[in-house]
Amino acid sequence: MVSRLNLLRMSLDIEQDPYVKLLRSDPLSGDSKPLKKALWGRKTYCQDQLKKLNTRAEIVEKGLGAWAADWYVNACTQKLQHLVSEASTGLRFLDDSEKVYLGQCLSTLVSCLSREALLAIDSTRVTPKFMRLIDFLISQQKPAFTGLLFVQTRAEVAVLSQMLSMHPRIKEFYTVSTFVGASTAQRGNIGELVDVRGQVETLDDLRFGRKNLVVTTSALEEGIDVSACNAVVCFDKPSNLKSLVQRRGRARKPESTFAIMLAEDDDPSIFATWRQLEEMMQQEYMDDMRQLQELESQDESEEGDREFAVERTGAKLMLSDAVSHLYHFCATLLSRQSSDPAPIFTVNDVDQRAVTAKVTLPICVDASVREASSRSAWITAKAARRDAAFEAYIQLYHAGLISDNLLPIRGFDEAIAEVETKVDKIASLVPVAGQLNPWNLVARQWQGVGDLSSLQCSELSLHRGEETVVEMLMLAPGPLPPIPAITLFWDADTIFRATVRTSPGRLIRPAYAKSAAQSTTLLLASVFRKSVAAASTGFAILFVPSEDGDPMQWADRFHGTVRGDGLEPIDVSSLSPSSLGIIRDMKNNGVPHILRGFQERSSDLNGDELERQGIENAEAAPLFEVSRFPKRTDFLHAIPEQNQTARSGPNTTLLRPEDCEIDRLPLAYAVFAATVPAILHHVGVRLVAAHLSNTLLAPVGLTNTELLVTAITASAAREATDYQRQEFLGDSVLKFLTSLMLTSKHLHWHEGLLSLAKDHIVSNASLAKAALAVGLDGFILTTPFTGSKWRPPYISDHLDSPAGKPRQLSTKTLADVVEALIGAAFLEGGFGMVTAMLRIMLPQASWPLVGDSNNTLHSTHQASIIYPPHFSELERLIGYTFTLRSLPLEALTHASYIGSNVSTSYDRLEFLGDVCLDIIIATASFNHEPAIVTHSLHLIRTAVVNAHFLAFLCLSLSASVPRTNITTGHNNNEILMSEATVPIHAWSFMRHADPNIRRSQQGCLKRYESIKAPILECLQYGSHIPWALLARLDAPKFFSDIIESLIGAIYIDSHGSLAACESFLETLGVMGYLRRLLQGGVALYHPKEKLGQLADSQRV
């Protein structure tokens, strides 16, 4: 096969080669050099592939035999045919016509091969060397066997692995896989059969026994973790001593075997030479080690027992352990990409026999403890490095970065350790106190009432449109909080509005107070006969009519019923106190109705209709045309559309007057009585909020009851409002104040520690635990009002009433209520009131006033620093002039930077700027009118603060500045000066020392220039957020980081002015785009979220 392949290659008509045809078809090629090279030297892609294939086939045939070469060429041909038939993108360097040409040539070549002949190994056409290998492998069979088989070429790996897998003598025992190097240069050859993508799990397969023999090249000699093997076989002689030693080292199992297979013409004397070289290497190594041990013993004698101990814990740091401890500390710094977290040691000669060392920690470590030097001079560099590391570690301990256990506080500060080990063990649902019943509070207030004239009076009115339906007085034993207007949905067509106006100074006449219980009984019994007995007293809330006169006479006048006989037709279109009362159908257990009118029995009713209604004697008194008094008890919620009928007006029926009784109490009062459960629920919710304000939150001074009601109301309660919008705002406020507190309190902490501590404080688990600890859970409203089985709040029922029924709440609900209360405090009293709130809710952290934190941060930065060249142009670019010049330098210093004027990297400022950005966007979004729904608030914030969008704006932040160009004349005798403008970019001011960052910047700038126009078009006029285009920009994170770090720098420099930060965001374009999103008309969903919605709603 090998000779035929070579003959085929040389006999091909070069003019039929696709590459030659391509050159011939180009009129400009003519007698070009590429064409001449292709014709005379047969230098074409197809010829090159056939030549390489021939070379590999020769190697296979020499080492494994003619059958192996036949199989190899046939397998390569089948692979090529598959690529052609499947239109695969494999072998991309070949044109499709070249693949077809090669496929046809090779198909002709292998057509003489019998398929059956390749299905089984022909032992007469394989080499004796292969057969000896089979014998050796049979001898090595044992339980849990693992082995490596080294060959020289990738082609041999493919062929030999196939032959071993199909050889009948060993295929039942050996499961064979392959491993070769990941060189991309080999993937473009038609002779490449090993798919490197399939070898990802090869080593794991070997380790866990799924495979027990790996055929490999030199790729597994070093650098890759390979399990110890029972046998390592070299199918060919190793190329050098290094290969021999490395391969031999893979046979590490007890009683393992290392075998080398030699050809008859191999010279075995080379092994003796290698053995001598290995012994010499070992001797030199041992000599060096003895000298090193002598020097170290001298240093160790000088070191003595030097140690540092913490008395409180007993923890000790030994000089010998300092280097490893320091490396461990640096490994916990959560380093960013393109920065090395390892400490850097520099050793300096003091004289010919002594050295000192200095260690420099990563730039994210505070400058005051970033460097340390050895206290003494040492004979060896190793000892000097130990000394420097020892001094550095002690510095870190005194700076608070090392705990009393002498370990990095990232893992051993109690609060931060909780985050790292996910100690938030609190379950998703936790048992909590039952919902506070406000009438228990009112009942206890009644015990302190001596003089009834001291009752607190509120004026309660029921309105329908502009009409006042009824006016009442509501009496309570204590002051009621402000009660907003209550919307009551009577039916699909009628909406009432109840207003409550408290009158703290109004005195109640004794007659009103004494007769209030009878008035209340009369009112409530008109609608709630089953739950209100005629002689009931002791109501927690009392109602009396507001009209002049004695309420007792009012109750006597409207007490009881009258028969329906003999009534004259009246106008029933208006509900007023002078109207008739409820019509009760006594033939049907007194079912209540509302009178709508009268109808003569002989008018428009035929006999069938009269009979259907059960009415006799058509000549008697007119019939009552009535509608059913509403069965509904929940007037706080509108009737769902699906439950509304298409009719207009009430559904009426006819009743005989003689079958009816009519309440003396006018209908308007009955309507009012029906709404009392809803009104009292509304009042009760405010009582709960007021009690929270007066007890747990008394030190806060939060008096806006409606903000509190919103904060403690879960969506499950189905109230007119819930905590979700305030939680959105409170979440941003909490993160801002937490980050500000941590940054100002821990001036030495790097961004990694700050982030971990913040995440712990603001986590749902921490907030939920805080809510339970202070007893907030009982105030959370989750029970929806239905009015079903309503019973008036009697004093006797609530005096000894236990707390509400225990319930379960999610930790997220508990955390959300805490954040909603923070939002309420912020809306009423700003950061000062929020700080007071946090001191109650999260007392484990110290919460300074915002102004104190701002002053602390401002005082830690310097003003007298010389800017690098052109740095002042940055201030013009961002529209802000710094007074503390160290801030913009820090804000634009990457963690990889090594140079002058370095305090630390931008990480801490980016940490602070991130929350400044968040609270500015959250506040502007929350305050927008009309109000934005909660889900859209989250989507808008995500769209504006995400890294892709900020990176695009960073790339767009540029300006043209004048520059003077200086050149020389033609004879170099004169100097020429010219003015020009050049663009400057904000990102170009970032200081770094990593060439990869520069390449990333340039690559991103090219992508930006190519897609800038469509992104700007979409941001200004598009109907959706350009998520896909921003993802294509693929901007490295440092672009968005420096925007946030500049925000943090402006915040500190301006003594905590969020307005100054917002001005920069206006310059940047953030606020303009935010306003566009708030106005609506832009689809907010990310494509992944939209896909998720479609997946949920559509079937595939």
Side-chain angles (χ1 to χ4, degrees):
M1 176 59 69
V2 174
S3 58
R4 293 183 61 205
L5 177 58
N6 188 49
L7 180 62
L8 170 68
R9 182 177 69 85
M10 299 305 298
S11 63
L12 290 175
D13 184 358
I14 197 62
E15 290 289 347
Q16 300 301 315
D17 192 291
Y19 180 63
V20 174
K21 288 184 177 181
L22 177 63
L23 293 176
R24 290 288 195 193
S25 65
D26 185 357
L28 299 179
S29 63
D31 294 332
S32 65
K33 185 176 181 180
L35 180 59
K36 292 179 179 178
K37 192 175 181 179
L39 293 174
W40 297 348
R42 306 182 76 85
K43 298 295 184 180
T44 69
Y45 294 106
C46 292
Q47 286 286 323
D48 181 58
Q49 285 296 306
L50 290 172
K51 184 176 180 180
K52 290 179 179 178
L53 180 62
N54 187 74
T55 300
R56 287 167 172 75
E58 288 179 346
I59 295 172
V60 170
E61 184 176 52
K62 179 180 178 182
L64 299 172
W67 183 91
D70 290 350
W71 184 91
Y72 174 66
V73 175
N74 183 71
C76 294
T77 303
Q78 290 181 348
K79 171 190 172 183
L80 182 59
Q81 290 173 340
H82 173 74
L83 292 176
V84 173
S85 62
E86 297 293 330
S88 173
T89 57
L91 302 177
R92 294 180 179 178
F93 68 96
L94 287 178
D95 185 77
D96 288 342
S97 61
E98 291 173 321
K99 295 177 186 177
V100 172
Y101 177 73
L102 284 173
Q104 292 173 344
C105 295
L106 292 176
S107 297
T108 303
L109 179 68
V110 301
S111 60
C112 62
L113 296 177
S114 169
R115 182 175 179 275
E116 290 73 16
L118 297 177
L119 294 178
I121 299 175
D122 185 353
S123 59
T124 63
R125 299 182 66 231
V126 296
T127 60
K129 189 177 183 180
F130 173 74
M131 298 307 298
R132 291 292 301 274
L133 174 64
I134 297 298
D135 294 338
F136 175 79
L137 291 176
I138 292 174
S139 69
Q140 294 295 310
Q141 292 181 3
K142 63 182 69 174
F145 172 87
T146 56
L148 296 179
L149 175 56
F150 286 95
V151 295
Q152 289 183 334
T153 66
R154 299 162 74 99
E156 289 175 293
V157 169
V159 177
L160 189 53
S161 64
Q162 178 66 25
M163 295 174 69
L164 295 177
S165 298
M166 61 190 300
H167 198 283
R169 295 177 62 195
I170 63 172
K171 67 179 182 179
E172 298 299 329
F173 179 80
Y174 288 101
T175 53
V176 186
S177 60
T178 61
F179 193 95
V180 296
S183 172
T184 57
Q186 300 295 333
R187 300 178 194 174
N189 294 319
I190 61 174
E192 177 64 36
L193 294 179
V194 179
D195 186 358
V196 295
R197 295 172 300 179
Q199 66 183 28
V200 176
E201 298 180 353
T202 293
L203 299 183
D204 283 340
D205 289 343
L206 183 67
R207 186 175 295 112
F208 297 112
R210 294 188 291 268
K211 304 286 185 180
N212 58 14
L213 181 62
V214 177
V215 183
T216 182
T217 59
S218 58
L220 283 186
E221 286 182 351
E222 62 175 334
I224 298 176
D225 183 21
V226 179
S227 299
C229 298
N230 297 101
V232 175
V233 183
C234 299
F235 193 68
D236 299 288
K237 179 180 65 179
S239 57
N240 51 50
L241 175 60
K242 177 183 176 182
S243 292
L244 174 68
V245 174
Q246 288 173 339
R247 294 181 182 184
R248 187 179 62 193
R250 297 301 191 188
R252 299 193 300 273
K253 281 192 174 180
E255 300 181 0
S256 59
T257 302
F258 177 69
I260 301 176
M261 302 186 70
L262 298 178
E264 293 181 352
D265 55 351
D266 284 333
D267 182 8
S269 63
I270 187 65
F271 293 106
T273 303
W274 285 351
R275 187 173 294 108
Q276 293 177 359
L277 289 173
E278 185 176 7
E279 291 174 353
M280 292 173 60
M281 289 170 56
Q282 291 175 348
Q283 185 62 41
E284 291 182 6
Y285 173 77
M286 295 301 296
D287 292 343
D288 290 341
M289 288 299 297
R290 278 192 293 271
Q291 294 180 11
L292 183 61
Q293 288 174 356
E294 291 175 1
L295 293 174
E296 288 180 346
S297 63
Q298 295 181 35
D299 274 334
E300 288 173 359
S301 63
E302 296 179 24
E303 290 176 11
D305 295 328
R306 188 176 168 195
E307 65 180 32
F308 175 79
V310 179
E311 183 177 353
R312 190 179 72 85
T313 62
K316 293 182 180 181
L317 173 70
M318 307 300 296
L319 187 63
S320 57
D321 300 327
V323 173
S324 61
H325 276 65
L326 193 62
Y327 268 93
H328 175 63
F329 167 80
C330 291
T332 67
L333 294 180
L334 302 179
S335 65
R336 295 176 178 269
Q337 187 179 6
S338 302
S339 62
D340 186 358
I344 298 176
F345 289 92
T346 54
V347 178
N348 301 307
D349 293 329
V350 177
D351 52 41
Q352 293 183 349
R353 289 187 53 81
V355 294
T356 59
K358 183 177 77 171
V359 61
T360 303
L361 303 182
I363 194 174
C364 61
V365 177
D366 188 76
S368 63
V369 292
R370 189 179 304 143
E371 294 183 346
S373 298
S374 56
R375 194 169 68 177
S376 307
W378 302 86
I379 297 176
T380 64
K382 179 179 179 181
R385 286 194 292 268
R386 285 179 180 174
D387 190 0
F390 188 83
E391 296 297 322
Y393 210 76
I394 294 174
Q395 281 187 180
L396 293 173
Y397 171 77
H398 291 304
L401 296 174
I402 300 297
S403 72
D404 285 344
N405 294 303
L406 291 180
L407 290 168
I409 62 172
R410 177 187 173 201
F412 287 86
D413 178 86
E414 180 180 355
I416 299 175
E418 281 195 301
V419 180
E420 288 211 299
T421 57
K422 297 184 178 177
V423 156
D424 297 337
K425 301 291 185 181
I426 190 167
S428 58
L429 284 175
V430 293
V432 301
Q435 183 173 311
L436 175 67
N437 190 324
W439 306 116
N440 294 352
L441 306 174
V442 176
R444 287 194 289 271
Q445 286 180 328
W446 274 103
Q447 291 184 308
V449 174
D451 185 2
L452 293 179
S453 62
S454 66
L455 295 178
Q456 300 293 317
C457 176
S458 301
E459 299 174 3
L460 198 160
S461 301
L462 189 65
H463 309 274
R464 182 174 58 187
E466 298 299 323
E467 174 192 4
T468 299
V469 177
V470 70
E471 292 181 333
M472 302 291 293
L473 296 180
M474 183 166 60
L475 308 181
L480 296 179
I483 309 296
I486 310 166
T487 301
L488 301 165
F489 301 91
W490 183 255
D491 56 32
D493 304 313
T494 307
I495 296 178
F496 291 110
R497 183 171 56 88
T499 58
V500 180
R501 187 165 66 90
T502 57
S503 304
R506 179 167 177 173
L507 297 178
I508 306 301
R509 288 186 296 159
Y512 266 68
K514 292 179 180 179
S515 60
Q518 288 77 7
S519 301
T520 305
T521 300
L522 176 62
L523 272 172
L524 298 181
S526 66
V527 178
F528 305 101
R529 288 190 168 187
K530 293 182 178 180
S531 58
V532 178
S536 295
T537 57
F539 297 104
I541 295 289
L542 299 172
F543 298 96
V544 294
S546 62
E547 60 187 29
D548 294 334
D550 185 353
M552 183 67 73
Q553 295 179 0
W554 178 88
D556 291 340
R557 177 157 56 100
F558 293 125
H559 179 71
T561 62
V562 297
R563 288 182 56 82
D565 303 20
L567 286 180
E568 295 295 332
I570 61 173
D571 180 12
V572 295
S573 62
S574 173
L575 284 175
S576 67
S578 61
S579 302
L580 290 177
I582 291 177
I583 308 293
R584 301 187 184 275
D585 183 2
M586 303 311 294
K587 291 185 67 176
N588 290 300
N589 299 317
V591 173
H593 293 81
I594 299 174
L595 181 64
R596 299 296 178 183
F598 297 90
Q599 194 167 138
E600 295 295 334
R601 305 194 191 202
S602 60
S603 58
D604 298 328
L605 299 179
N606 57 38
D608 294 338
E609 179 65 16
L610 289 171
E611 183 177 355
R612 187 184 69 80
Q613 298 269 9
I615 297 173
E616 302 175 353
N617 190 4
E619 300 299 327
L623 302 174
F624 290 160
E625 184 178 3
V626 297
S627 63
R628 179 70 180 269
F629 195 87
K631 291 182 179 180
R632 298 181 67 229
T633 53
D634 176 12
F635 297 109
L636 289 179
H637 303 100
I639 301 175
E641 291 186 7
Q642 62 269 24
N643 295 342
Q644 297 181 15
T645 60
R647 66 180 183 275
S648 60
N651 186 18
T652 61
T653 187
L654 298 174
L655 294 177
R656 297 190 308 177
E658 56 268 30
D659 296 331
C660 301
E661 289 185 356
I662 304 174
D663 287 358
R664 293 181 183 274
L665 184 69
L667 180 63
Y669 290 110
V671 170
F672 167 77
T675 65
V676 164
I679 293 172
L680 289 186
H681 172 79
H682 200 71
V683 172
V685 167
R686 273 73 197 166
L687 287 171
V688 172
H691 188 61
L692 174 62
S693 175
N694 297 329
T695 54
L696 176 61
L697 300 183
V700 179
L702 206 168
T703 59
N704 190 321
T705 308
E706 291 311 299
L707 289 176
L708 281 172
V709 168
T710 299
I712 62 177
T713 303
S715 57
R718 297 182 62 219
E719 295 292 331
T721 182
D722 60 43
Y723 61 64
Q724 294 187 48
R725 272 177 48 84
Q726 280 183 200
E727 180 271 331
F728 167 82
L729 180 62
D731 173 74
S732 294
V733 174
L734 174 61
K735 288 177 180 176
F736 171 77
L737 289 182
T738 302
S739 299
L740 182 62
M741 177 269 293
L742 292 170
T743 308
S744 61
K745 180 181 178 182
H746 303 287
L747 298 176
H748 297 307
W749 279 19
H750 54 82
E751 184 267 343
L753 283 178
L754 294 173
S755 294
L756 287 168
K758 183 197 77 172
D759 290 345
H760 169 74
I761 292 174
V762 306
S763 69
N764 281 349
S766 294
L767 297 181
K769 291 176 183 177
L772 294 172
V774 300
L776 178 62
D777 47 330
F779 293 94
I780 300 175
L781 307 178
T782 58
T783 305
F785 172 76
T786 64
S788 176
K789 299 181 180 180
W790 181 79
R791 174 180 169 86
Y794 292 108
I795 297 173
S796 58
D797 290 346
H798 294 279
L799 272 179
D800 300 319
S801 176
K805 183 180 179 181
R807 51 187 171 157
Q808 285 194 325
L809 288 181
S810 70
T811 52
K812 186 178 187 310
T813 297
L814 291 166
D816 286 350
V817 170
V818 173
E819 291 177 332
L821 286 171
I822 291 171
F826 180 72
L827 291 172
E828 181 171 335
F831 290 128
M833 188 171 284
V834 175
T835 301
M837 175 81 73
L838 292 175
R839 289 171 179 172
I840 294 173
M841 292 293 178
L842 300 168
Q844 69 275 17
S846 59
W847 298 98
L849 295 175
V850 170
D852 294 339
S853 296
N854 293 337
N855 292 335
T856 299
L857 291 174
H858 192 274
S859 65
T860 58
H861 291 83
Q862 304 175 36
S864 57
I865 286 183
I866 300 176
Y867 272 169
H870 310 309
F871 232 70
S872 58
E873 293 172 349
L874 171 71
E875 296 181 331
R876 292 195 293 272
L877 190 61
I878 66 175
Y880 183 86
T881 301
F882 287 93
T883 57
L884 302 175
R885 291 194 161 192
S886 64
L887 279 167
L889 289 175
E890 181 180 326
L892 291 164
T893 300
H894 188 268
S896 65
Y897 180 71
I898 301 174
S900 60
N901 286 344
V902 178
S903 58
T904 186
S905 61
Y906 61 59
D907 297 331
R908 279 174 55 91
L909 289 178
E910 182 261 331
F911 171 78
L912 181 60
D914 174 74
V915 292
C916 291
L917 171 64
D918 189 82
I919 195 172
I920 290 171
I921 299 305
T923 304
S925 303
F926 182 90
N927 292 331
H928 183 266
E929 293 292 343
I932 307 293
V933 298
T934 309
H935 184 60
S936 294
L937 286 175
H938 286 284
L939 293 175
I940 289 172
R941 179 171 62 182
T942 299
V944 175
V945 305
N946 79 87
H948 294 299
F949 177 64
L950 293 179
F952 175 79
L953 296 182
C954 179
L955 287 160
S956 303
L957 187 59
S958 62
S960 296
V961 297
R963 286 285 187 270
T964 300
N965 295 327
I966 302 176
T967 58
T968 57
H970 293 295
N971 298 323
N972 293 328
N973 293 327
E974 58 178 338
I975 297 177
L976 303 178
M977 302 179 65
S978 61
E979 297 295 327
T981 58
V982 296
I984 59 167
H985 303 272
W987 57 265
S988 65
F989 289 90
M990 187 180 78
R991 305 188 299 173
H992 63 88
D994 189 338
N996 292 325
I997 290 180
R998 185 62 179 170
R999 286 192 288 270
S1000 297
Q1001 288 175 331
Q1002 295 301 327
C1004 188
L1005 185 60
K1006 290 180 180 179
R1007 295 191 296 274
Y1008 167 78
E1009 293 296 342
S1010 66
I1011 60 176
K1012 173 178 66 173
I1015 291 179
L1016 287 174
E1017 176 77 15
C1018 196
L1019 291 176
Q1020 294 172 0
Y1021 309 108
S1023 60
H1024 63 280
I1025 299 171
W1027 294 113
L1029 289 171
L1030 291 172
R1032 281 177 53 194
L1033 182 61
D1034 193 22
K1037 190 174 182 295
F1038 55 72
F1039 283 105
S1040 60
D1041 285 346
I1042 61 176
I1043 292 296
E1044 293 177 334
S1045 63
L1046 282 171
I1047 296 172
I1050 293 172
Y1051 178 82
I1052 295 176
D1053 188 76
S1054 62
H1055 284 280
S1057 172
L1058 289 174
C1061 300
E1062 186 172 342
S1063 178
F1064 168 56
L1065 294 176
E1066 195 73 60
T1067 301
L1068 191 62
V1070 172
M1071 303 308 295
Y1073 191 56
L1074 173 63
R1075 286 190 290 271
R1076 181 161 188 265
L1077 295 180
L1078 292 173
Q1079 290 169 1
V1082 178
L1084 300 174
Y1085 283 101
H1086 190 279
K1088 290 193 294 186
E1089 294 175 313
K1090 195 65 179 176
L1091 181 61
Q1093 290 180 337
L1094 292 174
D1096 289 338
S1097 60
Q1098 304 291 332
R1099 289 189 176 182
V1100 179

